[in-house]
Amino acid sequence: MKTTAAVLRTMGAARPYADSRPLSLETVTLDPPGRDEVLVAVKAAGLCHSDLSVINGDRPRPLPMALGHEAAGVVEALGPGVTDLEIGDHVVMVFMPSCGHCDPCAGGRPALCEPGAAANGKGELLAGGRRLHDDAGDLNHHLGCSAFAAHAVVSRRSLVKVDRDLPFEHAALFGCAVLTGVGAVVNTAQVKAGQSVAVIGLGGVGLSSVLGALAAGAGPVIAVDISEDKLALARSLGPVQTVNAAAPDAIEQVRALTGGGAEFTFEMAGSIAALEAAWRMTRRGGTTVTAGLPPPEAALAVNVVQLVAEERSLKGSYIGTCVPSRDIPRYVALFRQGRLPVDRLLSGTIGLEDINAAFDDLAEGRTVRTVIRF
């Protein structure tokens, strides 16, 4: 079939993207779903920094590539072997497919699926190969989803079924921002009620971490960013204290508010400077968690004596150490109870034709989560 997709052919385009237009809307050919694959009519797709980092070249990927990885839609066709979904089901896409058989999957850690990671790195689907083509040849898939498109063929293992009455623009956020941010708090760090939390970087993932900390009963919860608008949004979500990261004494402010440093500090900005600040904001015996993805060559210097003598921990968190089929329904339930107001993260909705200008807004920090509606 033919469909429309936003295709990236060159990384590192000059900004503003509204003028350079790194993403071109193209009519492409989409193969029917193969074994254990599903054709999804995409209804909503969120713009994430992980997409932006491919556009600007911070996270190189094989090109040409149809971007987009945070989305929700409706099942339109089922490939052979898919027996647990029906046409018309509503689904959320997950950007790390899990094979269910490798050592990490067998050990209950599908976020670390080895075949899934290999397929994502090559721009293929989990079963191998590509389902998108143009007149010149194959197009690469972004993280097994390529969701900036009217339709997508994805692995069944990239999908989680959700209730049909969940608005698509909200459902999409659960596939990346919520899984990553909330999961970092409740799965990776396992924050308990009454423990102190600081979150640096208030994009969709960072603000989801704030929501996760509040839902877990953490306190105090401190949000850190350079944007006063995002700090105000964080305060509106609940009992959250804020610190402007641009203040020369920002680290000291966090340490004072937490009585010597936060027990858990989360770096969600994708910046080594932010990660260094998060490390310094963490108390003795505390844990620093990072889900930010800086350029691959970025490195962090850690004082090993401090690491040992203060019994400090530094942990990475990928997709919030999640089990998507377990966690997405749980987080949706919390959303319905009013304990995880994910809808507050939505900055607005756009059409696919406005995607380049919307990435300008994301790059400038003017938005948290803009969602494309199809």
Side-chain angles (χ1 to χ4, degrees):
M1 66 177 292
K2 297 291 185 180
T3 193
T4 301
V7 179
L8 180 72
R9 296 187 175 276
T10 305
M11 290 181 287
R15 286 170 44 197
Y17 297 135
D19 295 334
S20 61
R21 304 187 67 80
L23 291 171
S24 58
L25 304 189
E26 302 180 14
T27 300
V28 300
T29 300
L30 183 62
D31 294 339
R35 172 162 291 278
D36 296 326
E37 294 176 352
V38 179
L39 171 66
V40 177
V42 181
K43 298 300 183 182
L47 275 62
C48 174
H49 271 275
S50 294
D51 304 301
L52 178 61
S53 65
V54 179
I55 295 170
N56 67 21
D58 282 348
R59 300 287 297 172
R61 293 282 175 178
L63 299 181
M65 174 172 279
L67 287 192
H69 68 283
E70 178 186 82
V74 178
V75 172
E76 280 203 352
L78 303 170
V82 180
T83 59
D84 57 347
L85 289 176
E86 297 179 355
I87 293 173
D89 281 344
H90 290 199
V91 289
V92 169
M93 293 186 187
V94 177
F95 64 90
M96 172 57 79
S98 53
C99 71
H101 305 294
C102 67
D103 285 347
C105 285
R109 304 187 71 181
L112 300 181
C113 176
E114 292 166 348
N120 281 0
K122 292 186 289 186
E124 297 182 351
L125 295 190
L126 182 62
R130 299 161 181 85
R131 312 294 179 266
L132 285 164
H133 319 279
D134 62 11
D135 291 340
D138 293 341
L139 299 173
N140 291 290
H141 296 270
H142 187 211
L143 301 175
C145 297
S146 291
F148 294 155
H151 294 83
V153 166
V154 300
S155 168
R156 169 63 185 90
R157 295 184 175 275
S158 294
L159 298 173
V160 174
K161 182 180 174 180
V162 294
D163 295 336
R164 295 191 183 193
D165 63 344
L166 184 65
F168 289 114
E169 61 267 31
H170 299 156
L173 304 182
F174 286 88
C176 177
V178 178
L179 267 187
T180 302
V182 177
V185 173
V186 301
N187 292 332
T188 309
Q190 299 183 12
V191 172
K192 303 295 190 297
Q195 293 182 314
S196 55
V197 165
V199 179
I200 303 179
L202 301 180
V205 174
L207 284 166
S208 291
S209 292
V210 171
L211 291 176
L214 293 171
V221 176
I222 302 168
V224 183
D225 201 280
I226 60 173
S227 166
E228 286 295 337
D229 289 341
K230 290 180 179 178
L231 293 172
L233 175 56
R235 289 192 295 270
S236 75
L237 298 175
V240 177
Q241 301 179 69
T242 56
V243 171
N244 193 306
D249 63 341
I251 294 170
E252 289 73 18
Q253 287 187 54
V254 172
R255 295 185 66 85
L257 289 169
T258 54
E263 291 171 87
F264 294 94
T265 305
F266 298 87
E267 184 278 313
M268 302 299 187
S271 157
I272 290 299
L275 182 54
E276 290 173 345
W279 176 259
R280 294 173 61 192
M281 292 174 183
T282 308
R283 71 170 56 209
R284 292 166 58 88
T287 300
T288 306
V289 178
T290 177
L293 288 171
E297 67 275 8
L300 174 71
V302 174
N303 184 305
V304 178
V305 172
Q306 183 182 40
L307 179 71
V308 174
E310 296 184 4
E311 290 195 352
R312 301 275 292 278
S313 298
L314 176 62
K315 301 188 73 172
S317 178
Y318 193 56
I319 327 179
T321 318
C322 72
V323 179
S325 60
R326 175 198 69 191
D327 291 339
I328 288 180
R330 287 179 177 179
Y331 300 160
V332 170
L334 289 171
F335 171 59
R336 292 188 181 282
Q337 296 164 16
R339 298 173 59 193
L340 204 66
V342 172
D343 55 316
R344 299 291 306 282
L345 309 184
L346 185 62
S347 302
T349 59
I350 61 169
L352 185 59
E353 66 276 6
D354 297 320
I355 189 170
N356 286 296
F359 271 113
D360 283 324
D361 291 334
L362 182 63
E364 294 293 332
R366 293 189 290 262
T367 54
V368 175
R369 263 307 189 268
T370 298
V371 171
I372 300 166
R373 283 302 310 262
F374 292 87

